[in-house]
Amino acid sequence: MINWAKIDRLAKDWVLEAGKRIKDTIDEELLIETKSDANDLVTNVDKETEQFFIHKINELDPTHKILGEEGFGDKVDSMDGVVWILDPIDGTMNFVHQKRNFAISLAVYENGVGKIGIIYDVMADDMYHVRPGEGAYLNDTKLRPLQNVPLSKAVIALNATWIVPNKRIDYTKLSPLVKEVRGIRSYGSAAIELAFVASGRLDGYITMRLSPWDYAAGKLLVEEVGGITSNLKGEPLSLLNKSSLFVGSPKIHEEILEKYLDSYEGI
């Protein structure tokens, strides 16, 4: 029998320790590389932080699988067993350029069922955490169920990249949404934007392409407070493959899905 309370305590301790290590070296010179393109950055701190978690998890139980952004974990092709899903620094561009608005995102699933979700906004020292069925929290404060605000009063997270013409798909269908809602925001970290939806600071979040480590923890937070998570077709999210992402309160999710995303074809 897995002691999830113990694993939850350990995971939080590791996240705080990793966050302290990042803050202690925040002003040191970074070794910056690019991955898929010039804007897809990775630093030595991303890599070192992922390796820190892998060492801790392997010490805890070497049979647990680890899906991490920087590739130091396992090749995970099944959610069978215990799977840790990790983004050591979500929002690396913010980390490099702003030294804020980045987060550690850590989730644990057993046979595809979420057991633990943690998003740690490092520089704000805010930990969003959840054990499904036991409530979602911002630090020690329990988060309230999401409110079904009307679209005209909603603040939605949406990157401007997704409302300009693209060679592969016309995203401009979302342009009218920008005019209908009260406000649009973009924070440059999917984990933080998901945490903001879960805590009511945002009413929804739309993006066209993310990886499981970007949303594995945030998905659990949003669902715990009554939110809906899906891809842009309204289908369940994949925990093994890239996906579009759409989260919000039930009313916001339904209205935007029917009004603006009904003809979405994918990417």
Side-chain angles (χ1 to χ4, degrees), residues 49-174:
T49 303
E50 180 160 306
Q51 290 169 325
F52 165 82
F53 279 104
I54 289 172
H55 175 72
K56 294 291 188 181
I57 296 165
N58 284 335
E59 276 192 333
L60 173 68
D61 192 327
T63 69
H64 290 187
K65 294 181 287 186
I66 307 163
L67 177 60
E69 178 174 14
E70 308 312 335
F72 295 106
D74 304 300
K75 180 175 174 51
V76 178
D77 53 16
S78 165
M79 291 301 293
D80 293 344
V82 176
V83 181
W84 296 67
I85 305 180
L86 166 69
D87 193 338
I89 296 182
D90 184 74
T92 300
M93 187 180 294
N94 291 346
F95 172 62
V96 170
H97 288 274
Q98 301 174 344
K99 300 187 187 301
R100 65 185 65 214
N101 295 326
F102 62 89
I104 298 170
S105 179
L106 182 66
V108 190
Y109 285 74
E110 182 185 31
N111 298 321
V113 177
K115 296 295 184 179
I116 295 167
I118 301 170
I119 294 173
Y120 182 49
D121 184 337
V122 176
M123 302 309 288
D125 195 26
D126 280 337
M127 180 180 287
Y128 303 81
H129 54 100
V130 60
R131 288 184 63 195
E134 299 183 13
Y137 292 80
L138 166 52
N139 300 320
D140 296 325
T141 302
K142 189 173 183 178
L143 299 179
R144 298 177 179 179
L146 297 187
Q147 300 298 305
N148 276 312
V149 302
L151 202 54
S152 61
K153 295 183 179 179
V155 178
I156 304 293
L158 177 65
N159 191 300
T161 305
W162 306 126
I163 55 173
V164 296
N166 182 287
K167 292 180 180 179
R168 287 177 288 182
I169 186 170
D170 181 12
Y171 295 135
T172 55
K173 67 179 69 175
L174 288 172

Side-chain angles (χ1 to χ4, degrees), residues 2 16 41-42 48 92 150 167 169 175 182 194 199 208 238:
I2 296 176
L16 290 173
L41 306 180
V42 62
E48 290 162 7
T92 300
K167 292 180 180 179
I169 186 170
S175 297
R182 175 167 282 174
L194 282 159
S199 58
M208 305 300 172
S238 170

